[in-house]
Amino acid sequence: MWRNAIAPCQPDPKLYGVEINEEVVVKKDILTLSDLTRQDMIDLFDLAGELKARYKQGIVDDFLKGRVLGLIFDKHSTRTRVSFEAAMNQIGGSVIYMSSGDMQIARDEPVKDTARVLSRYIDALVVRTYSQELIEAYAAYADIPVINALSDRYHPCQVLSDLLTIIEHKGECEGQKIVWLGDGNNVANSWINAAAVLGLNLVLACPKGYQPDEELLKMAVAQGHGTVSVTGDPREAVRDADVIYTDVWASMGQENERASRIKAFEGFQLDNELVSLAADDVVVMHCLPAHRDEEIAEDVLEGERSIVWDQAENKLHMHKAVLKVLIENNLSQ
């Protein structure tokens, strides 16, 4: 199990040299951020920061030399796929990319059979698909770590890398007013999970009918860490915000709803007027791909408050940390 100690949600600056902390202990899977403790996340932030610093110094790591990562992707991807592949290669391992349509699972082989066979061939499995239940089924039968690279329900690794980016720019994630602007989608759900575990101040501004899952919100509030609130007023939400985060209004699989969603989300575009209501040092985030001048104004995305390119880069370094810790810990069992 991961360590359960409580510590501030900020990295230890002593960890950003060239030495790697070898004491990070992690459990088997990352299916949602609710699987993690506060200290688990802090350990990953520290390790990702160390690995990023080493990479910037030109240090070549081969922690996972001889190890193999499997990717099963049923949804299109640029950043998540490339960052996982690059991460595994940069720390010495190799990658096998698989599409369900090319596997026997497309001919009705049970997931439990596929998961057990893959466990004999590879050292970790990353799954990007529609159904959270499918990812959980892989995890239930696999003997190797299973990582959720996106489902319709959650996107945990995205939010881990987002939090790393906030820490880099703000020094910490505690005490920051973080505002989610837009659809209560899978990324929003993972932000709710993170807020509950880390004790964040999270405000979600969503139009009526597009709020996050009510049960998930209730569970987050019940954990009693930090504050999670929902409003339908984007102007009130972003007032004095330290971080404003937005995402597309129609996610993959919802393209036929785009016209109705554009109408429903009127007033929710992250533009300079909304940015002006936030704190003077507010930063703007978007997990990409972006529909410019739809959910985010072009000049905001490209503006001085935008940290979206750092955010995208940090997927690479967070994925290195996740893979290193999960695979090495599983091998030591």
Side-chain angles (χ1 to χ4, degrees):
M1 295 294 293
W2 291 33
R3 296 199 296 269
N4 290 302
I6 299 297
C9 182
Q10 58 187 47
D12 182 345
K14 294 181 293 184
L15 296 176
Y16 286 83
V18 299
E19 297 298 323
I20 289 295
N21 176 7
E22 298 292 350
E23 297 182 357
V24 177
V25 179
V26 66
K27 72 176 195 177
K28 183 181 162 208
D29 305 310
I30 297 180
L31 308 182
T32 83
L33 291 183
S34 294
D35 292 334
L36 311 184
T37 68
R38 178 188 179 86
Q39 190 62 47
D40 298 338
M41 293 190 195
I42 293 169
D43 288 341
L44 286 172
F45 302 149
D46 288 337
L47 180 56
E50 294 174 50
L51 293 171
K52 183 175 181 178
R54 291 170 67 88
Y55 179 75
K56 297 294 186 182
Q57 294 173 48
I59 299 172
V60 177
D61 291 314
D62 62 354
F63 310 115
L64 298 183
K65 184 177 182 179
R67 300 300 168 185
V68 181
L69 174 66
L71 304 181
I72 298 179
F73 276 37
D74 295 328
K75 281 190 168 187
H76 298 303
S77 175
T78 298
R79 281 151 292 275
T80 300
R81 176 180 173 178
V82 175
S83 58
F84 264 115
E85 291 200 27
M88 190 63 174
N89 280 289
Q90 287 182 15
I91 53 178
S94 58
V95 180
I96 299 174
Y97 179 82
M98 299 166 277
S99 169
S100 294
D102 298 327
M103 300 168 64
Q104 292 296 340
I105 197 169
R107 300 175 63 200
D108 298 325
E109 181 175 45
V111 170
K112 62 183 178 181
D113 293 0
T114 302
R116 286 181 288 194
V117 169
L118 290 178
S119 296
R120 307 297 180 98
Y121 298 155
I122 61 178
D123 298 284
L125 179 63
V126 174
V127 182
R128 181 180 176 95
T129 189
Y130 291 90
S131 167
Q132 178 71 17
E133 290 71 26
L134 180 62
I135 297 174
E136 292 172 358
Y138 275 113
Y141 290 97
D143 295 324
I144 54 175
V146 174
I147 301 165
N148 181 353
L150 179 141
S151 71
D152 281 355
R153 182 77 170 160
Y154 300 107
H155 200 354
C157 292
Q158 176 67 56
V159 173
L160 286 174
S161 60
D162 295 337
L163 284 162
L164 174 65
T165 310
I166 292 172
I167 290 168
E168 286 182 344
H169 284 266
K170 295 290 189 178
E172 61 179 2
C173 52
E174 265 186 335
Q176 306 295 319
K177 181 180 178 181
I178 301 171
V179 176
W180 173 270
L181 186 67
D183 188 27
N185 62 14
N186 49 5
V187 183
N189 287 343
S190 286
W191 269 108
I192 293 168
N193 289 153
V197 173
L198 291 171
L200 303 177
N201 175 13
L202 177 66
V203 179
L204 301 111
C206 310
K208 185 177 181 180
Y210 297 93
Q211 298 95 337
D213 180 82
E214 189 66 31
E215 288 303 312
L216 184 63
L217 288 167
K218 287 180 181 177
M219 287 189 290
V221 171
Q223 286 185 252
H225 304 302
T227 59
V228 180
S229 59
V230 180
T231 179
D233 185 345
R235 294 176 61 85
E236 185 59 34
V238 303
R239 199 170 302 279
D240 300 321
D242 300 294
V243 179
I244 308 176
Y245 194 125
T246 193
D247 193 5
V248 295
W249 292 338
S251 299
M252 283 180 286
Q254 298 172 334
E255 289 81 3
N256 62 336
E257 302 175 22
R258 186 174 178 185
S260 61
R261 283 173 173 262
I262 288 173
K263 183 176 180 180
F265 283 83
E266 185 176 350
F268 282 80
Q269 183 188 92
L270 181 51
D271 56 17
N272 279 308
E273 182 183 356
L274 285 184
V275 172
S276 71
L277 299 174
D280 291 341
D281 60 348
V282 66
V283 294
V284 169
M285 305 182 76
H286 192 305
C287 55
L288 302 178
H291 294 152
R292 294 163 185 254
D293 291 325
E294 190 169 294
E295 75 276 355
I296 187 168
E298 168 89 18
D299 53 359
V300 172
L301 183 66
E302 297 288 358
E304 62 180 7
R305 296 299 178 192
S306 173
I307 58 172
V308 298
W309 315 117
D310 294 339
Q311 184 184 355
E313 178 188 353
N314 279 338
K315 290 171 72 75
L316 170 67
H317 306 296
M318 179 53 69
H319 292 167
K320 289 180 189 176
V322 166
L323 293 171
K324 180 182 188 296
V325 173
L326 285 170
I327 292 174
E328 288 185 347
N329 185 62
N330 196 57
L331 292 170
S332 70
Q333 300 304 309

